[in-house]
Amino acid sequence: MFSIPEPVAECLATLRRGGFAAYPVGGCVRDLLLGRDPGDWDIATAAPPEAVMALFEKTVPTGLKHGTVTVLLGGESMEVTTFRADVGYSDGRHPDAVVFGQSLEADLARRDFTVNAMALGADGEIIDPFGGRDDLAQKRVRAVGDPTVRFTEDALRMFRAVRFAAQLSFEIEEGTLAALAALAGNARHVSGERIKVEVEKTLLSPMPHLAALFLSTGLLTASGGPTWTPERLYAAFADVPSEPGPRWRAFCLATGFDITSLPTERRLRAAVLHPEREAVRALALQAPDLMALGFEGPALGRAQLALAQHILEHPETNNKEALATVVRDLQLRGQL
């Protein structure tokens, strides 16, 4: 048996008392099996959206077109979605139509990966028609059914495959990876904003070096940079803090990827393209300290930039004593 928050249990009980089957599905079930506390609770139900809104006092019609209603209950918010099947993906990203009134298994069959295609039954049993539990045990990301079909339907799933592998410390199943590489050109159907989100989640994961798969499969392109391999990126991320700026900078330096090819906020671009500016703010030897050493005007700015470049290469020396020695040496050599 698994521990389910009281508001989630109450939501399920209310739907079932109303005569509708209801199951926690997707990532929350995956996380329960991994021994993690789910961050979100998604519920699949036979109840149509209007019935869900009638059963609960506080709801938000999050995505009625796709059968999704957000239920607010006991301080929790749960996405409750009617069993459905998706029909047609002419734009390579979104279903052309949604058909409600399907079975739970049909609903699970439309999902991306087996580890996200499980449900939790009323008695605590795992409903797993596609072998997701075995894939969890084998630590692999595998598409539900034919990976070519899954990725042709929605090209974002290719980026999600890499991201899930990195976040879960899994490998991508051979057939799924082969289909991903074969269909990488379909990445053109995915907005730059969504790509940026998936790449960044990968870079901030426990296995950021798997971001090399974005390049080796052709999902992303880079030119003029070094040869990119998971091994090279593994070394590049050594001791790099799990923060967007440093992780993106390490990725771009190691691969030659152009950060400006994706829509990113100005501060992130600056952190990648001009890391010395960020490093100036982090200097242990700040402007008043340098002024006390006799620096002023343009000389002060030159000293700050020189020290910033130094700590980018030698972060362990970012303390006042070491930086004071560095700046004196630069003066003696006539470099300031």
Side-chain angles (χ1 to χ4, degrees):
M1 299 298 292
F2 299 97
S3 176
I4 297 177
E6 183 57 35
V8 178
E10 185 178 345
C11 180
L12 291 165
T14 299
L15 288 164
R16 290 164 182 164
R17 282 196 302 269
F20 302 106
Y23 306 86
V25 294
C28 60
V29 180
R30 179 197 68 224
D31 289 344
L32 286 173
L33 289 170
L34 289 172
R36 302 177 178 183
D37 291 328
D40 301 295
W41 288 87
D42 294 329
I43 295 172
T45 181
E50 57 271 18
V52 175
M53 290 188 287
L55 284 168
F56 297 95
E57 181 180 352
K58 295 181 180 180
T59 63
V60 179
T62 314
L64 293 183
K65 178 181 177 182
H66 297 103
T68 300
V69 174
T70 298
V71 173
L72 307 175
L73 191 64
E76 291 269 2
S77 64
M78 293 144 281
E79 285 200 351
V80 179
T81 303
T82 306
F83 295 157
R84 72 183 219 212
D86 300 331
V87 180
Y89 284 80
S90 57
D91 68 350
R93 272 288 289 119
H94 309 94
D96 299 328
V98 171
V99 179
F100 298 130
Q102 304 297 302
S103 66
L104 172 64
E105 184 165 336
D107 186 87
L108 295 176
R110 69 178 177 81
R111 296 173 185 267
D112 51 8
F113 307 109
T114 61
V115 296
N116 297 331
M118 294 180 284
L120 183 63
D123 296 324
E125 74 277 16
I126 300 298
I127 301 167
D128 178 22
F130 303 105
R133 198 166 190 173
D134 185 54
D135 285 331
L136 280 182
Q138 299 298 323
K139 296 189 174 183
R140 65 187 170 215
V141 174
R142 180 168 62 90
V144 172
D146 185 343
T148 298
V149 173
R150 294 284 82 79
F151 295 149
T152 301
E153 290 172 338
D154 182 357
L156 181 65
R157 290 169 175 164
M158 298 187 288
F159 291 91
R160 284 165 57 85
V162 178
R163 187 253 291 183
F164 278 124
Q167 288 182 324
L168 298 171
S169 299
F170 282 14
E171 292 185 351
I172 302 177
E173 181 266 335
E174 184 178 348
T176 300
L177 184 60
L180 190 160
L183 295 170
N186 286 357
R188 67 184 182 277
H189 298 307
V190 186
S191 71
E193 289 81 4
R194 295 304 300 269
I195 291 173
K196 186 261 183 181
V197 168
E198 295 299 326
V199 175
E200 187 163 295
K201 287 181 178 180
T202 301
L203 293 176
L204 297 178
S205 74
M207 298 182 71
H209 59 284
L210 289 187
L213 289 172
F214 292 124
L215 295 162
S216 62
T217 59
L219 287 174
L220 296 178
T221 58
S223 59
T227 302
W228 28 264
T229 64
E231 292 76 20
R232 182 184 179 90
L233 278 190
Y234 186 85
F237 287 118
D239 301 321
V240 175
S242 183
E243 299 168 8
R247 288 286 173 94
W248 273 104
R249 184 163 60 246
F251 176 65
C252 292
L253 284 174
T255 65
F257 180 74
D258 180 8
I259 187 69
T260 65
S261 66
L262 291 177
T264 54
E265 57 272 26
R266 182 181 302 175
R267 183 168 182 177
L268 179 59
R269 289 197 302 273
V272 173
L273 300 174
H274 300 287
E276 70 280 356
R277 297 176 187 173
E278 185 177 314
V280 164
R281 292 191 289 270
L283 285 172
L285 207 62
Q286 286 292 301
D289 304 304
L290 289 167
M291 291 173 69
L293 294 174
F295 291 93
E296 58 183 25
L300 175 60
R302 289 195 297 271
Q304 287 179 309
L305 285 176
L307 290 177
Q309 293 285 4
H310 177 80
I311 68 165
L312 285 171
E313 298 173 10
H314 308 283
E316 73 282 357
T317 64
N318 191 21
N319 60 76
K320 287 189 174 183
E321 295 76 13
L323 294 186
T325 299
V326 170
V327 80
R328 283 194 293 268
D329 288 346
L330 291 173
Q331 276 184 306
L332 289 173
R333 294 201 297 267
Q335 295 178 321
L336 284 179

